[in-house]
Amino acid sequence: MHILCSPSLTPPEANLGWKLALVEKGVAAPSLLDTYTEERAPVIAEMLKTSSGLFNNFAQSRASGTDRQAAWRRGGELHQFGVHCRWSSIVVDERSPEEVTPTDPYGRVHSIADIVRAGERAPDAPGLLVLGADGATARRTTLFDIFGISYHTALIFVNRLDKTDAVLSALRAYPTALLRTVFIYGNATEVRSGNQKPDVAVVDQDGNAHEGYNVWEQEFLVFIVRPDGAVGAIVRSGLDGIKRYCDGLFGTPLTPVNPIPNSP
């Protein structure tokens, strides 16, 4: 009897596929493939434990003649939207405490104070206005439309222009075909011209991206979203986090990375 069979966090082929692609292209070391088991084994163990519990509850209700419908009820955690891999050795999180060993792989425990963490599913954000080359808004889009299965997506919540230029330079030291950059402005009045342009610039006019990723007004944060839809890195203090994450995947950058200017 199949009680639970839906994919966990992201489909297994997505988790493994982007890693295989990087190794095949010669961009990543073969050891990257070891993280497939590291990330998925605790989730699958939890899935088997959960499915066994569901079966045992049904068998017990059937034997005792109690309400079978109650045994078939499913909680929200079985939708698996909370499944994560926060313990993964390749994720970087400068905003939340490091999770060394797998804890609550299904994300059952929730709090009103919860924030997005590296290793979790990247949220969508609708109602974004795409900026054209002339700075005018051209069309509406969502983050899910921007994400792709063949590249990482760096979401740069714009605050200080000098920081964004430095971060953009650092990211472009790595293979540009594998790393897409996105500027997210809080409103149209914040749009400014820098020395470098991202691949995509959007205005979060409804605040959905800032709210979904728990970014405060005027807070500078960078989220790097993996091809499988999980947040790979959350960077807030400078370029060290970007280097740690990207070097772990792509190796040494193609060009030297200049430091971010100190805040006044």
Side-chain angles (χ1 to χ4, degrees), residues 36-58:
Y36 173 77
T37 300
E38 176 191 358
E39 293 179 353
R40 288 196 53 79
V43 176
I44 300 307
E46 187 70 15
M47 180 185 72
L48 294 174
K49 176 182 175 182
T50 300
S51 59
S52 295
L54 292 172
F55 177 80
N56 291 336
N57 288 341
F58 178 78

Side-chain angles (χ1 to χ4, degrees), residues 27 170 173-175 243 246-257:
V27 176
Y174 301 93
K243 283 180 57 62
C246 293
D247 285 0
L249 298 182
F250 309 124
T252 306
L254 304 177
T255 57
V257 175

Side-chain angles (χ1 to χ4, degrees), residues 180-252:
R180 196 176 192 189
T181 55
V182 180
F183 278 5
I184 301 180
Y185 295 97
N187 55 68
T189 61
E190 295 179 356
V191 178
R192 294 163 291 177
S193 297
N195 296 325
Q196 300 189 65
K197 303 294 184 184
D199 296 308
V200 180
V202 298
V203 176
D204 184 25
Q205 67 167 7
D206 298 326
N208 293 320
H210 284 75
E211 180 179 357
Y213 285 78
N214 314 107
V215 179
W216 295 97
E217 185 178 357
Q218 297 303 312
E219 183 179 20
F220 185 87
L221 277 171
V222 179
F223 294 78
I224 302 180
V225 180
R226 306 186 333 182
D228 60 6
V231 177
I234 302 177
V235 179
R236 72 184 315 175
S237 62
L239 300 182
D240 288 346
I242 292 175
K243 283 180 57 62
R244 281 173 55 205
Y245 182 74
C246 293
D247 285 0
L249 298 182
F250 309 124
T252 306

Side-chain angles (χ1 to χ4, degrees), residues 97-121:
E98 180 181 4
E99 188 169 304
V100 180
T101 57
T103 302
D104 188 25
Y106 260 46
R108 288 186 169 92
V109 179
H110 298 284
S111 166
I112 193 171
D114 285 348
I115 60 175
V116 175
R117 297 175 60 181
E120 296 179 348
R121 185 187 301 269

